[in-house]
Amino acid sequence: MNGSRSRGGTLSPEALARYEHDGFFFPLDVLDPEQVAAMRTQLEDFEERYESHPAVGHGAFRTSCHLFLPFLDNLIRHLAILGPVASILGEDLLVWGTSFFTKEPQSADYVAWHQDLNYWGLDARDEVTAWVALSQASVESGCMRFVPASHIKEAAHADRPARGAMLSRGQELIKAVDDHQAVNAPLLPGQMSLHHGLTFHASMPNRSDDRRIGFAIRYIKPSMRQAGGERGVATLVQGEDRCQNFELAPRPQSVAAPEDIAMWQRAVKIQDQINFRDMKNPTDGEGH
Ligand SMILES: O=C(O)CCC(=O)C(=O)O
């Protein structure tokens, strides 16, 4: 952490140079222990209360639930996240989507090596993911892993759905990644990593006795467009949207309010259409 941020919460020049060279940077502090414990409690209360809700129950909430959960709407606007992200993308910031990657204790769930931007139908590369740990992300619990300097160009992927594969299509880089190149990115609860949308990344199963909960926030420049003519839904979290390439979502007012759920359903439907656009047998995955 030392020296990674300069005053005002932006990334220091050294940290920015590291990010630009490697395609990722960690760790950065976002929430203190009390704040992250409070956030986890709110999340787990919601999970329990809404488990069998017809729209958001059974894990369906995991994609872009910042659109109907005010405590997550607050998190995507947290200055300790926006400062570093703005150092990379500039002052005007949209959130294109969010995803929970939750691995239950001792679960075999894993994320295969992949690049994000391959699947999201965006017309440029001005995207950064802030991956916020809401529990301990250690090597044992299956923290994120990155391949340095892999964000330079797009690589070919295949759909290989498998038991435990967490990505919606089971997408995976075709060319095997040399494990020796991988850098583990352990995070304490309340810390985040940043990664570029083309950085190769993956994660292993959770061999710990706690849940591994990661909340991935996808920030883009407003100049990005949804290729293929769709006008997706995004959230303006800082600065101005001079491009109007996306329908801007309002801030959610209360947990799972019907009008916010309607907006969320529209956003997720468009993202699913994009994610699964050229897939032969789409499943109802989570759109990661
Ligand atoms: O949480 C993980 O293990 C993977 C997350 C991921 O693939 C992403 O944030 O793009």
Side-chain angles (χ1 to χ4, degrees):
M1 266 297 296
N2 281 349
S4 56
R5 260 186 247 186
S6 50
R7 276 184 59 220
T10 56
L11 283 182
S12 68
E14 296 75 27
L16 186 56
R18 202 67 265 156
Y19 174 87
E20 280 170 354
H21 180 270
D22 289 345
F24 62 92
F25 187 82
F26 74 97
L28 289 162
D29 291 335
V30 177
L31 302 171
D32 66 30
E34 291 73 37
Q35 290 169 328
V36 73
M39 179 118 339
R40 181 168 173 176
T41 300
Q42 289 186 81
L43 170 67
E44 292 182 338
D45 280 354
F46 166 78
E47 287 179 326
E48 209 178 306
R49 281 174 46 215
Y50 283 77
E51 199 182 331
S52 50
H53 186 281
V56 300
H58 313 289
F61 76 92
R62 290 202 179 119
T63 302
S64 288
C65 54
H66 63 284
L67 292 171
F68 61 81
L69 291 178
F71 67 94
L72 294 172
D73 177 68
N74 289 338
L75 183 59
I76 66 175
R77 299 165 194 273
H78 199 296
L79 295 180
I81 305 178
L82 295 182
V85 172
S87 306
I88 299 165
L89 292 180
E91 292 303 315
D92 298 330
L93 293 172
L94 297 181
V95 167
W96 178 80
T98 61
S99 286
F100 268 109
F101 287 89
T102 305
K103 295 179 191 167
E104 299 302 333
Q106 301 292 347
S107 93
D109 289 354
Y110 70 96
V111 173
W113 287 107
H114 69 286
Q115 295 173 308
D116 295 328
L117 283 174
N118 251 283
Y119 287 83
W120 295 349
L122 292 164
D123 70 340
R125 296 173 173 189
D126 301 318
E127 185 271 341
V128 173
T129 291
W131 194 100
V132 184
L134 297 187
S135 65
Q136 175 127 0
S138 59
V139 172
E140 188 190 20
S141 71
C143 63
M144 288 273 272
R145 312 178 76 208
F146 299 107
V147 174
S150 54
H151 59 304
I152 306 309
K153 58 178 193 301
E154 286 194 31
H157 287 65
D159 295 334
R160 293 179 183 142
R163 204 180 165 80
M166 291 181 84
L167 297 183
S168 52
R169 300 173 57 146
Q171 58 261 48
E172 183 170 349
L173 287 166
I174 291 179
K175 193 161 176 257
V177 166
D178 173 2
D179 227 49
H180 292 103
Q181 294 183 335
V183 172
N184 288 317
L187 297 174
L188 295 171
Q191 291 185 324
M192 71 170 174
S193 57
L194 299 176
H195 71 266
H196 184 279
L198 290 182
T199 305
F200 295 0
H201 58 289
S203 68
M204 309 276 269
N206 180 5
R207 301 294 178 218
S208 80
D209 292 330
D210 191 14
R211 310 177 83 191
R212 195 225 60 166
I213 308 172
F215 184 58
I217 312 170
R218 321 306 189 170
Y219 292 94
I220 59 171
K221 284 190 183 183
S223 54
M224 293 274 265
R225 274 176 198 280
Q226 204 64 74
E230 296 97 344
R231 188 160 183 262
V233 174
T235 305
L236 179 67
V237 288
Q238 179 171 294
E240 274 183 70
D241 173 15
R242 296 178 186 82
C243 304
Q244 299 180 0
N245 293 333
F246 292 85
E247 175 184 350
L248 297 183
R251 297 192 74 161
Q253 295 307 313
S254 58
V255 171
E259 60 276 23
D260 297 328
I261 292 201
M263 167 61 81
W264 168 76
Q265 284 176 320
R266 202 158 72 247
V268 169
K269 190 169 172 209
I270 296 168
Q271 284 194 358
D272 277 354
Q273 277 163 5
I274 296 160
N275 266 332
F276 296 113
R277 62 196 176 284
D278 52 358
M279 196 178 180
K280 288 192 190 73
N281 297 307
T283 60
D284 57 346
E286 289 171 12
H288 295 314

